[in-house]
Amino acid sequence: MQGVATTINNGRIDLSFRFEDVKDPSDPTKNARSRGIGSITYTQKINDSLSIPVSLLFANHSSDLGDVNKKFNAHFGLVYKLPTGK
């Protein structure tokens, strides 16, 4: 499943999940390991130029989320659209 989105009032919920087999490039004799990464993102629209996304991520191996020791990770941010000249 990838790219499912639902709009609620001025907010939006996106769901994504990816599952794949990955080989270790440093050891080609090793068997591939399964990797599953999923995320849910809620984006609240403030106005036409500004929105705030909040995401929760899950991976079945913590190393797939970067330099963390947990299988869950959270992100938030600001999205600002620059005005276009008309």
Side-chain angles (χ1 to χ4, degrees):
M1 174 175 65
Q2 190 158 345
V4 177
T6 303
T7 304
I8 302 171
N9 294 333
N10 284 333
R12 177 181 163 143
I13 297 173
D14 294 287
L15 298 170
S16 175
F17 186 78
R18 187 176 70 217
F19 188 81
E20 59 194 11
D21 288 330
V22 180
K23 282 200 169 238
D24 184 356
S26 65
D27 187 0
T29 62
K30 226 174 165 183
N31 290 334
R33 69 178 176 101
S34 298
R35 173 170 69 179
I37 299 174
S39 69
I40 182 168
T41 303
Y42 176 75
T43 304
Q44 178 63 50
K45 182 177 177 181
I46 305 300
N47 57 36
D48 289 338
S49 303
L50 184 65
S51 58
I52 300 172
V54 177
S55 297
L56 295 175
L57 292 90
F58 169 81
N60 62 341
H61 302 286
S62 60
S63 61
D64 293 332
L65 290 178
D67 190 22
V68 296
N69 293 325
K70 306 287 185 202
K71 291 183 179 183
F72 280 99
N73 205 340
H75 298 268
F76 69 93
L78 295 174
V79 177
Y80 182 74
K81 294 180 185 175
L82 295 173
T84 57
K86 292 183 181 182

